[in-house]
Amino acid sequence: MNQVLSRYLPSHAVEAAFMLIKDNNVHLKVVNERRTRHGDYRRMPDGTQQITVNANLNEYRFLITLVHEIAHLLAFEKYGRRIKPHGQEWKLTFRNLMLPFIRPEIFPSKLLPIIASHFRNPTASSDTDARLSIALKSFDQPNDKNYIFEVPSGALFRIYNGKIFKKGPKRIKRYECLEVSTGKIYLFQPNAEVELLRA
């Protein structure tokens, strides 16, 4: 298992992550990319605990995702299955599990203060914390996508499912964008990755 983990995690995080998996009887599956999630946790019908994490994540996002999903398992076991999936019990569990990993041997110095800030009150997804998401994506393989905040106002862009939008004004934190084919308005996080369509 350590050999598998060393392909996906920062080297100084492998042993501690392995112990979390082993101590909690987790069946870890590394799977192909899913657009809608980085990972998930499921209690299987036979009682085993299965966690899946996307294989295409950079090592820092992989670690955060793995610990995020283990936090679901432990929060449900400690507080019962009626808690909110990303409620206070999960936040507390996630924060406590992440603390030993928030070290300069594991995360680069430019990420550490952003990670520390995020874990004061972790969100349901690292993608909903735009500052953390953008910082983590700087460690991804380069691609031809732009962030919404980089797209010029009024420009057209395409999202992963092929739909085309026109960028509108910023409303507090998110951008109002018009879906060209339907005329409907949608709100986009500033860190959403899109394909800018050249005029």
Side-chain angles (χ1 to χ4, degrees):
M1 174 61 86
N2 277 11
Q3 284 183 320
V4 173
L5 289 175
S6 64
R7 289 165 44 198
Y8 297 103
L9 293 172
S11 59
H12 286 90
V14 169
E15 189 59 38
F18 172 71
M19 293 311 293
L20 272 179
I21 291 165
K22 182 174 173 253
D23 291 349
N24 295 292
N25 295 316
V26 170
H27 176 65
L28 174 66
K29 284 176 70 175
V30 181
V31 298
N32 293 331
E33 178 184 9
R34 294 159 295 182
R35 287 272 179 196
T36 55
R37 66 186 66 168
H38 298 307
D40 68 12
Y41 158 69
R42 244 181 246 152
R43 186 176 185 156
M44 306 306 279
D46 65 1
T48 58
Q49 316 277 359
Q50 179 181 285
I51 285 174
T52 62
V53 182
N54 292 2
N56 66 320
L57 304 181
N58 70 53
E59 61 186 355
Y60 309 114
R61 193 183 292 278
F62 193 102
L63 174 59
I64 291 168
T65 302
L66 175 63
V67 177
H68 173 127
E69 301 306 338
I70 292 173
H72 280 303
L73 183 166
L74 294 179
F76 283 136
E77 284 190 349
K78 182 172 182 179
Y79 300 104
R81 296 247 158 209
R82 293 179 173 227
I83 62 169
K84 290 181 180 176
H86 296 106
Q88 289 307 312
E89 299 88 352
W90 171 81
K91 286 177 186 248
L92 178 65
T93 307
F94 190 18
R95 186 183 314 125
N96 289 341
L97 288 177
M98 271 306 295
L99 277 173
F101 293 103
I102 303 175
R103 303 190 340 249
E105 301 89 343
I106 293 175
F107 288 103
S109 57
K110 74 175 194 174
L111 260 184
L112 272 175
I114 299 167
I115 298 247
S117 174
H118 175 80
F119 279 97
R120 287 191 191 107
N121 186 23
T123 55
S125 167
S126 56
D127 284 344
T128 55
D129 180 339
R131 188 167 166 246
L132 176 60
S133 178
I134 290 164
L136 286 170
K137 280 179 183 167
S138 71
F139 295 92
D140 288 347
Q141 293 296 319
N143 62 32
D144 59 352
K145 301 283 192 285
N146 291 85
Y147 295 118
I148 284 279
F149 75 84
E150 299 171 321
V151 172
S153 188
L156 297 179
F157 63 88
R158 182 184 292 124
I159 63 172
Y160 68 92
N161 62 9
K163 292 182 178 179
I164 295 174
F165 293 83
K166 183 177 184 181
K167 182 181 172 185
K170 189 174 186 180
R171 297 281 180 240
I172 305 170
K173 290 185 177 179
R174 296 186 288 178
Y175 290 90
E176 221 175 65
C177 300
L178 175 81
E179 186 183 358
V180 174
S181 65
T182 64
K184 289 183 180 176
I185 299 288
Y186 291 84
L187 293 175
F188 282 80
Q189 291 276 22
N191 57 305
E193 285 189 295
V194 300
E195 178 189 352
L196 179 61
L197 299 177
R198 306 291 174 190

